[in-house]
Amino acid sequence: MKITAIETLVVNAIHRNWIFVKVLTDQDGLHGWGEATLEWKTKAVSGAVDDLSGFVIGEDPHRIEHIVQKMRRFSFWPLGSIGLTALSGIEQALWDIKGKALGVPVWQLLGGRVRDRVRVYTHLLQARQDRLVDHRDISAFCDAVQETVELGYSAVKLGLVPYSGYDAPLPAVRHVEKLSNAIRERVGTTVDIMTDFHGRPDSVHAAKAFIDVIAPIRPMFVEEPIQPGDAEGLAQLSRMVDCPLATGERLLTIQEYAELARLRAVTYVQPDLAHCGGISGGRRIAAIAEAASMGIMPHNPMGPIAGAVSLQFAAATPNFVIQEEAVGLAPWFGEICQNDLFGLTDGCWSIPEAPGLGIEIDERAASRHPYAPEIIPALDAILPDGRIANW
């Protein structure tokens, strides 16, 4: 069997474009899907897929690790976020092909499933862009959290902190305290609440000020409390607060995760399988995390193929904890899938039994939502003095 071509299919999802990667073979009808979505880098990633295809076409798709090494090493320059995202989409598609060719789900190729279902969490109102709620309106925000839980989720991730800087103004801290307490009172103790700081605080002490007022509601974790890449700062912060920390969506390499593990800097790691080298990269990161008694929670606010990949990975990964999803990101999320993998039962996804990733894309339906310039939410990330903030 040989790879004959690699194609990209771009589907608009309002504030990002999903980039689907289709790897074709010389076996009639046998192809694989991957996802290489990278926010606001659509054309660059699509071009990188084309660049990497020269290393892949003509290869046997069963030789997944060989092809990954070829893309990495023959590229000479470190691939970075754009190149690794392109590689990840191709790598995922190879697993899909192999599973289909052998007639088994991908989780079977990863050693078999280690759980019977996969717990998931979503964003406020499933991240629907037409129903954004300002966190400054505590009552409306709590209403939205309650509505999200009533959709069938037992865990919700929320943005609670404002754009910040090196300090944490007391009025902002007090508002976050009131908001956090109101949310916990509204949903009770049976719902897990997690919050994503998006690296907004510029200092450990600013992050600590916000975490200290959130910690009493016992969040499952605080994500990216400071900018990614500062493992020493995260380790320092983790010793200062009474709250689990998590990071990883903007980390790409095993070396970065090895540093987190060495310092025991966080409780949970969150690699994105569309950026960190696909399933192969995710498995390496999971092993590093497991050696340091860290759980793994794959990052995934993206499209249906990314969701299918994460589901297969979660089924076979012992230190997996919970999976991020965003099925409400665009109204046509389910429209372009020929398989329904994402039905909720008690806040969990079921383990798929179909060969490969268990998902097919309806290309005709997808073509109704072509590339379009994204709505970029970061454009209002301005501090009171006019300085650009981390968003």
Side-chain angles (χ1 to χ4, degrees), residues 106-108 110-115 283 311-318:
V106 167
W107 57 256
Q108 198 71 271
L110 304 178
R113 61 186 176 88
V114 297
R115 55 183 43 83
R283 295 181 80 193
L311 177 53
Q312 298 285 338
F313 175 85
T317 302

Side-chain angles (χ1 to χ4, degrees), residues 99-293:
K100 289 173 178 173
L102 297 175
V104 297
V106 167
W107 57 256
Q108 198 71 271
L109 304 177
L110 304 178
R113 61 186 176 88
V114 297
R115 55 183 43 83
D116 298 324
R117 57 185 186 169
V118 171
R119 191 181 183 207
V120 299
Y121 71 87
T122 194
H123 300 254
L124 192 68
L125 298 173
Q126 295 181 302
R128 285 180 53 178
Q129 296 307 296
D130 61 338
R131 298 196 63 190
L132 299 177
V133 181
D134 193 328
H135 65 81
R136 291 172 293 186
D137 186 335
I138 293 178
S139 178
F141 199 89
C142 288
D143 288 345
V145 175
Q146 181 177 345
E147 184 177 342
T148 305
V149 171
E150 290 172 352
L151 292 171
Y153 295 94
S154 63
V156 184
K157 186 164 75 178
L158 308 169
L160 302 180
V161 302
Y163 298 128
S164 185
Y166 289 92
D167 62 341
L170 186 57
V173 172
R174 292 297 184 225
H175 176 78
V176 170
E177 182 176 32
K178 292 176 184 176
L179 177 61
S180 302
N181 289 333
I183 292 167
R184 177 55 74 200
E185 183 176 353
R186 177 69 70 90
V187 301
T189 59
T190 60
V191 175
D192 277 313
I193 300 297
M194 50 275 280
T195 181
D196 188 352
F197 280 27
H198 260 202
R200 289 180 175 182
D202 282 316
S203 70
V204 166
H205 288 279
K208 179 181 182 299
F210 287 112
I211 293 174
D212 283 348
V213 297
I214 296 171
I217 74 165
R218 311 309 296 173
M220 190 173 192
F221 61 78
V222 170
E223 179 177 337
E224 264 195 353
I226 59 175
Q227 279 289 296
D230 184 2
E232 293 275 3
L234 271 176
Q236 177 190 2
L237 181 60
S238 70
R239 293 189 293 268
M240 296 167 63
V241 297
D242 184 22
C243 183
L245 304 183
T247 196
E249 71 174 87
R250 289 187 277 177
L251 302 179
L252 304 173
T253 68
I254 56 173
Q255 289 80 10
E256 290 169 307
Y257 285 95
E259 183 69 357
L260 290 177
R262 183 183 70 82
L263 295 169
R264 301 297 198 270
V266 293
T267 302
Y268 305 113
V269 294
Q270 301 169 296
D272 193 311
L273 303 181
H275 308 320
C276 72
I279 292 172
S280 306
R283 295 181 80 193
R284 289 182 170 90
I285 292 164
I288 291 168
E290 187 175 17
S293 300

